[in-house]
Each structure stands twice: as structure tokens, then as C-alpha cells.
Amino acid sequence: MKTDHSTAYVRQEDAPLLPPPRNETGIIGWFNQNILNLINDFSGIGAAIRSVLMAVGTLAILYYSAHILWALIDFALIEAVWSDPDELKRVVCTTEIAGGIQHNGWHGACWPLVTAKMKFLIYGAYPAEELWRVNITGLVLITGLVCLMFDRMPYRMHIGISMLTIFPVFAYIMLVGLGDWIGLPYVDTRDWGGVLVTLVVALTGIIASLPLGVVLALGRQSKMPAIRYLCTGFIEFWRGIPLITVLFMASVALPLFLPTGVTIDNLLRALIGVTLFASAYMAEVIRGGLQAIDKGQYEAADALGLGYWKSMRLIILPQALTYVIPGIVNTFIGLFKDTTLVAIIGLFDLLGAAQAAINDAGWSSPVQAITLYLLVATFYFICCFVMSRYSMRLERKLDRSNR
Amino acid sequence: MANNAKLKKQDSDEIVISMNGVNKWFGNFHVLRDINLNVHKGERIIICGPSGSGKSTVIRCLNALEHHQGGDINILGVTLDNNVHNVEMVRRDVGMVFQQFNLFPHLSILENCILAPTWVKKMPRAEAVDLAMSLLERVKIPEQAHKYPGQLSGGQQQRVAIARALCMQPEIMLFDEPTSALDPEMIKEVLDVMVGLAETGMTMICVTHEMGFARKVADRVIFMDEGQIIEQNEPEAFFSKPKSDRTKLFLSQVLSH
């Protein structure tokens, strides 16, 4: 039956509901749409050139990606030296021509070096008989974080609150110590190092900069001029100077302003510097979220009689923070990597510890630096990637408006 | 019609809202000019007028979403001024429904409704839930209680917004063009809820262009233009014998289509 929609027409029966064409779904559909359709169009000279370029480009990218991946696997796994049973140190990772035992032209990772330096890379010079304190702290931290990742974890709320309140105190007592009388002798932060310092600086910065950033962002939007100018000035000041300068000033200039005899721990100075620096960035990210909130939300909260603090806490901030999760995590990741800068004020974070290990003549070899840098890069990548993934999951979970 | 007649009887002399010589400016623009208005308990007032006439601003002044700059506003015996405590007292007893619904998108329908009672009035949660469910029932969407605002149609959202405002058990309800953002087929469901509310004797002030609704429930219709109250009267007289030329012009424009 011919249907002509230009004149009066009444449908007699519904058109059938059909599944989509097969070549547009699944893996085949993906391949068709993303690869095949782009390279099999030879309808004209322009289209043909484009198709060929597309095909060549695709192959080239595949080839070089595979090449780089293979080089990495070859270096890190296949050619790598895994053990040093005879304690030959540098010799085990050096070619014959340079006085080692590897065949000439050998190029692989020197993992025994990492094994030998492992303790230093993780704990720095933390006293060997007190390492259990770091281990327990780390174990509690990891357990807590894993528990928080599961949505259905019983007492999740309590765990979260304890991680933010009790755990820092616990970690401080465990890591710094209370004194010999209780079996926790003081450990000078100058002996801290490696992953320990990296995590202490990064986690303190992350946990402290978020609430501080919220306060600064709210302050910058305050109706009271004094608070607004104070917060704006604070934010602009810390954003306006490089982190290296902050750390240098904290390390070199700050003691000049303190009365004689008063000293502030070097690590503590770095912590404060990093936190204030990150909180300025955080404040601007959060301000972006606050500005994205519709004016109607503020008005609805006002009209219901929620005061300023309640409406911020219950209505505005939950939405604003959800909007800017990508920005917040971006700042966290930046902060995490910026912790490597504390090395310049004499703290041995992971990178600093690796740098020290690279300068160990006992392990001197052409692959010494590459091996350690590869390790450090992998560590940072995994940490940052986990944060990134977790933030994406969090975004999906909290995005209720579009569900 | 008998029903309407009963509806339109206000039975109290108690004045719950009084505006005396209220003036307001947006910058140099004189948006409210010498507004005088007394509202009795249980009275239902419709405010209409062309856009930009200040009708929304009037009712937004009544719960201090906008601050008036001249004259006095007294609500349920409390004078609205810069005193934050007074403002909060008034807001507890004055519910508001917005054109854009303004539900909280990160909270479920039920949470939207119990938020203010539990946090502002410190009502126990169980009690607040019972109250919210009974009010959601009254606006005919109890089955949506655990959904989120984004999953509801505009008409449903506006009915939730009404329920949310009622959960504070207000003395007065303000409606700021409650049906203007709705698709035509959803306007009726919201107006039905509002008619139902009017029947309970709630004091209502409603800015709207729904003239049929105005005829049905209003005790008094107020016409505003250029920031002034131009004319006010009982709905029958207002619609059949408008006195001012501006009112006549306005009515001819809104009623002709």
C-alpha cells in the first residue's frame, strides 16, 4: 500500500519495532564505523586520498605503539636482570666490555638494584628497628581506603570519619613517636624518606586542601567585603608564586623571621607550604562549581528557611563539589606529583631517594638511572591513574540528575 | 458554581500580610512604587500584569528573597527588616513555589520534602517522612517518593515543589508563575493541586496568567503595571467590568487567544 503523507492519512496498524541493523552494533559495528568506513571510500579522488592517508596513518600508529610497548617489555621484563645471588652489585648489570657479566649490546632493567635499595626507597633512613610503625600505619591506611571503595561496606560512614579524624592523629603518633616510655621513641623527620615522605606530603595536602579550599571559595563569594578581600588576596598570593619559591621561602627565609631558638620542622614547613599552595587552586576549582549552581537553588534553600551554613552544606556544596570532581581530582593529581619538589629543600621523597640511589657508585651502570626512573614513573602513574579512575566512578555514582 | 461561592468566602479579619508604602529599586529602575496591600488570613489573591510589571518582585519581597528599600512589610506580626532572625522566622511560615520548580536535583523526592522540616524545625525524621508522604499523597505522587527530580515530568516536579513547601506547614503560600514553565498538558494537574490547596483555607498569593484559575479560586485579583498596583477587585467584577484602561488592554490581550 502506498502511503502519501502529503494528504489526509490515518495509520491503520503500527509500523513494526525492529532491532538496529547488525553492522552498526557490537565489535563489527564498531570496526565498521571507526575503521572501515574511513578507509574504504574511493568514490572520488579526494575521498580516495583521504582513505589511503587514513589507512596508512592507522597502520603507522599501530606499528609505533606496538614498537614502543615492545621496547618497554623487552627492557623491563625480557632482558632484565632479576637477581644478584653473588652480590656482584654493579657487575651484574654491566656489559663485558665495561667489566661486567652481560653480553655486549645488552640493555635491560637492573632489578637487583631496586631490591637492594627498596628499604631506602620506601622508608628513607627511618631506623630499621622502628619500621614496623610505618608498616602498621600504611596497613591501616590501605585497609581504610579499600573499605571506603566499597559502597555497601557496613559502617562506611564511621570508617570515613575515623580516617579523617582519628587516623591522622594515629599516624602522627606512630610515625613521629611519643617517647621511649611508651615504646615509641621519637624519629626525627630528617630520617624520613622515600614513599613515606611522598605519601605523607601528598595525603596531608590532599586532605587539608579540600576543606581549606571550600572555606576560601565561600569566603571569596562572601557578602562581607573584609572576608572577601582577605580570601581573594590569599588565593591570588599563593597562586601567584611558584611552589618551588614557596618551599625555598619556607626552608630558607622563614627561620629568619622566627625568634631565635624557635625552629619548625622542615617536613612540617613543606606540608604547610604544599597545603596552602594547593588550597588556593582548590578554592578556584570549587568557586567554579559554586558559580555553576543555578540561582534558583539558593533561592529555594532560602525560601525554606535554611540559613546560610545549612543551605551551603546541604544544598549548594554537595552539588557544586559533584560538578567539579574532575577539577578537584586534577588538582589532587597535580599536588601528588608536585610533592617531588620537596626534594629541593633537602627532603628525600621517592624521587629524591631514587636520585640518591642513582648516585651510588657501587651500582654504577648505564641502566642504573633508567631502571630507577622507570620504577618511580610507574609508581606515580599507578597512583595518579587510580585517582583518576576512582574520580570517574564517583562522578557516575553522584550524577543523579541525569539518571 | 455553588462550590465556588463557598470557596470564595474568607472568614477572618486577621491581617497576615501588610505592605505599607513599599518601594524598591533595581539600580536606578524604580521597580516597586508605593505598594500597599493587606491580606487576610485564608484569603486567596491572584496578581497579574504584563511582564516586567513587578508582580514577581512583590511576592519575592514577602519572604525577603528581595529586600524592599522603602515602606514596611509585616508578616504574621513580624516586621521584615535586615534582622536575619526575623527573616528566618518569616521564611518558616511562608512557603514558596517557583516558576522553575527549583527542586534539589541531588536529593530524592522524599529527601527534598523532609530536608527543611528536619533541619529547620528539628522535626524527628520519622515524623517528617510521615508528613511528607501524606503531602505527596495529596499532590498525587506518593509512588515517586524515591525517584530523583530529573526523572519526573515538569508537572510532577512542580507538584513535588508544592508538597515540599507544604512540608514546612506554612501559614502562607506564595506561587511565582507556577505553571509558566510547564507544557500545556501538565498545567491542569498543577492547577488542580492548587485548587485543592485553596479549598483547605490556605492563605495564597499567586502570580499567574491562568485567568480561569483566577476566576475559580481568587478572592481578589490584583492588576499591576510599571511597578504599581493599578486595580484590584473581586474576580467577577475584575474580569467583567475592568475600570482602568490599562487593565482593559491587558485583559483583552490575555483573554483574546
Side-chain angles (χ1 to χ4, degrees):
Chain A
M1 184 180 69
K2 186 171 178 288
T3 56
D4 184 352
H5 292 258
S6 63
T7 56
Y9 158 74
V10 177
R11 181 175 286 285
Q12 299 302 326
E13 47 188 300
D14 287 347
L17 291 164
L18 300 171
R22 253 190 83 196
N23 62 0
E24 286 184 11
T25 56
I27 295 171
I28 298 170
W30 183 90
F31 184 77
N32 279 340
Q33 280 171 23
N34 292 285
I35 311 280
L36 213 53
N37 285 351
L38 300 177
I39 60 174
N40 68 352
D41 181 2
F42 292 94
S43 55
I45 182 108
I49 291 173
R50 201 166 54 233
S51 291
V52 169
L53 284 178
M54 213 54 108
V56 171
T58 306
L59 288 176
I61 289 168
L62 282 177
Y63 174 77
Y64 282 107
S65 307
H67 190 77
I68 291 170
L69 190 65
W70 173 250
L72 191 64
I73 292 172
D74 189 48
F75 178 85
L77 302 176
I78 298 175
E79 286 284 323
V81 177
W82 291 95
S83 62
D84 179 21
D86 305 325
E87 308 219 345
L88 300 170
K89 289 195 159 186
R90 68 172 290 270
V91 174
V92 80
C93 294
T94 318
T95 52
E96 282 163 2
I97 203 166
I101 59 166
Q102 301 294 340
H103 63 84
N104 289 334
W106 171 84
H107 189 67
C110 184
W111 297 124
L113 160 65
V114 171
T115 319
K117 297 287 178 190
M118 192 56 101
K119 215 182 236 177
F120 184 62
L121 291 172
I122 295 177
Y123 308 99
Y126 209 90
E129 64 276 16
E130 304 294 336
L131 289 186
W132 61 273
R133 285 156 57 176
V134 183
N135 291 338
I136 288 184
T137 312
L139 205 66
V140 173
L141 173 69
I142 292 170
T143 315
L145 289 181
V146 169
C147 289
L148 290 179
M149 292 222 174
F150 292 103
D151 294 343
R152 289 183 205 292
M153 190 75 199
Y155 303 112
R156 190 159 172 265
M157 189 75 176
H158 298 83
I159 296 173
I161 292 172
S162 348
M163 286 304 286
L164 287 174
T165 52
I166 302 171
F167 178 73
V169 178
F170 170 76
Y172 178 84
I173 292 172
M174 286 302 276
L175 296 176
V176 177
L178 284 176
D180 288 323
W181 57 276
I182 205 169
L184 293 171
Y186 285 111
V187 178
D188 197 308
T189 55
R190 269 173 293 191
D191 293 336
W192 297 20
V195 174
L196 171 62
V197 163
T198 296
L199 288 183
V200 165
V201 176
L203 289 176
T204 311
I206 284 173
I207 292 172
S209 68
L210 187 61
L212 213 52
V214 168
V215 170
L216 287 170
L218 292 177
R220 194 170 182 169
Q221 301 217 314
S222 169
K223 288 196 184 95
M224 285 171 267
I227 292 178
R228 193 168 62 238
Y229 291 136
L230 195 70
C231 291
T232 309
F234 184 93
I235 291 168
E236 296 301 344
F237 173 78
W238 289 100
R239 275 205 313 176
I241 46 179
L243 181 56
I244 291 194
T245 315
V246 174
L247 294 173
F248 260 134
M249 293 289 278
S251 161
V252 180
L254 191 62
L256 300 178
F257 298 110
L258 293 173
T260 39
V262 177
T263 54
I264 302 179
D265 185 280
N266 215 11
L267 179 65
L268 183 62
R269 284 186 222 160
L271 284 179
I272 294 172
V274 166
T275 303
L276 295 183
F277 186 81
S279 65
Y281 280 87
M282 194 59 74
E284 286 298 277
V285 169
I286 293 168
R287 190 166 66 94
L290 292 175
Q291 287 182 341
I293 305 284
D294 187 76
K295 196 164 137 269
Q297 294 288 308
Y298 291 90
E299 289 181 351
D302 281 349
L304 285 170
L306 297 163
Y308 176 81
W309 292 109
K310 278 177 195 157
S311 81
M312 285 300 145
R313 184 177 140 208
L314 300 166
I315 309 299
I316 306 301
L317 281 173
Q319 295 184 62
L321 292 177
T322 308
Y323 285 149
V324 294
I325 286 174
I328 291 175
V329 175
N330 202 23
T331 311
F332 283 168
I333 289 176
L335 165 66
F336 188 75
K337 293 187 295 185
D338 279 351
T339 57
T340 52
L341 292 174
V342 300
I344 66 156
I345 58 167
L347 294 172
F348 283 92
D349 74 317
L350 177 57
L351 187 62
Q355 204 72 52
I358 286 169
N359 293 331
D360 182 352
W363 284 91
S364 163
S365 82
V367 294
Q368 186 184 18
I370 308 178
T371 303
L372 284 164
Y373 284 141
L374 186 64
L375 179 85
V376 172
T378 310
F379 172 80
Y380 278 102
F381 180 79
I382 290 173
C383 290
C384 295
F385 191 66
V386 166
M387 278 195 262
S388 158
R389 288 283 123 178
Y390 184 69
S391 88
M392 286 168 79
R393 219 191 72 174
L394 205 58
E395 270 176 67
R396 275 198 301 276
K397 199 183 106 185
L398 294 177
D399 185 16
R400 284 166 175 156
S401 43
N402 300 327
R403 204 162 50 183
Chain B
M1 281 325 238
N3 192 21
N4 282 357
K6 185 185 73 190
L7 236 168
K8 286 182 187 172
K9 184 70 205 112
Q10 99 227 4
D11 40 44
S12 169
D13 291 336
E14 186 191 344
I15 289 175
V16 288
I17 297 176
S18 77
M19 301 177 89
N20 287 315
V22 171
N23 280 288
K24 179 172 176 60
W25 290 261
F26 286 142
N28 284 327
F29 178 57
H30 200 166
V31 62
L32 293 183
R33 293 153 69 183
D34 189 31
I35 302 288
N36 293 290
L37 176 66
N38 285 332
V39 181
H40 294 86
K41 189 171 169 56
E43 202 176 5
R44 295 168 290 269
I45 290 181
I46 301 289
I47 305 179
C48 60
S51 70
S53 59
K55 52 197 190 307
S56 286
T57 312
V58 167
I59 66 167
R60 288 163 59 85
C61 281
L62 295 178
N63 63 354
L65 285 184
E66 303 283 359
H67 294 276
H68 58 287
Q69 290 147 314
D72 301 312
I73 300 180
N74 190 292
I75 296 180
L76 298 162
V78 180
T79 302
L80 272 184
D81 47 23
N82 290 328
N83 185 330
V84 179
H85 180 69
N86 284 356
V87 169
E88 283 181 8
M89 288 240 296
V90 166
R91 283 173 177 169
R92 277 170 178 234
D93 290 325
V94 179
M96 181 150 192
V97 175
F98 298 87
Q99 181 177 354
Q100 300 294 343
F101 330 137
N102 294 344
L103 295 179
F104 305 130
H106 63 301
L107 298 176
S108 73
I109 299 308
L110 185 63
E111 289 166 335
N112 262 280
C113 292
I114 66 172
L115 184 95
T118 50
W119 285 93
V120 179
K121 286 183 145 183
K122 313 283 179 211
M123 189 185 282
R125 193 188 146 87
E127 196 182 319
V129 169
D130 286 346
L131 175 66
M133 288 311 293
S134 71
L135 286 166
L136 286 173
E137 208 128 345
R138 199 155 118 199
V139 300
K140 303 184 188 70
I141 32 176
E143 70 281 1
Q144 313 281 9
H146 296 287
K147 289 192 179 170
Y148 285 86
Q151 297 167 296
L152 269 55
S153 73
Q156 290 173 323
Q157 289 194 45
Q158 192 60 299
R159 285 186 281 151
V160 171
I162 294 172
R164 178 178 72 176
L166 292 176
C167 278
M168 282 296 280
Q169 297 167 308
E171 301 279 332
I172 299 165
M173 283 288 283
L174 308 175
F175 294 85
D176 188 1
E177 304 202 27
T179 56
S180 300
L182 294 174
D183 289 336
E185 74 267 27
M186 295 170 181
I187 290 175
K188 185 173 181 299
E189 65 188 48
V190 172
L191 290 181
D192 284 349
V193 166
M194 290 170 63
V195 171
L197 185 61
E199 283 166 359
T200 65
M202 174 68 75
T203 311
M204 292 165 70
I205 301 185
C206 181
V207 172
T208 184
H209 296 121
E210 296 296 331
M211 292 305 149
F213 174 73
R215 272 180 206 269
K216 200 166 172 186
V217 305
D219 296 307
R220 196 163 17 136
V221 180
I222 293 177
F223 173 71
M224 285 187 67
D225 193 16
E226 294 178 341
Q228 310 165 85
I229 294 179
I230 302 294
E231 184 167 349
Q232 54 174 311
N233 210 335
E234 294 188 349
E236 269 321 308
F238 179 85
F239 288 112
S240 55
K241 295 189 237 16
K243 295 190 177 69
S244 149
D245 290 341
R246 289 196 250 194
T247 316
K248 286 176 192 160
L249 176 66
F250 175 75
L251 287 177
S252 74
Q253 281 162 341
V254 296
L255 296 176
S256 60
H257 60 257

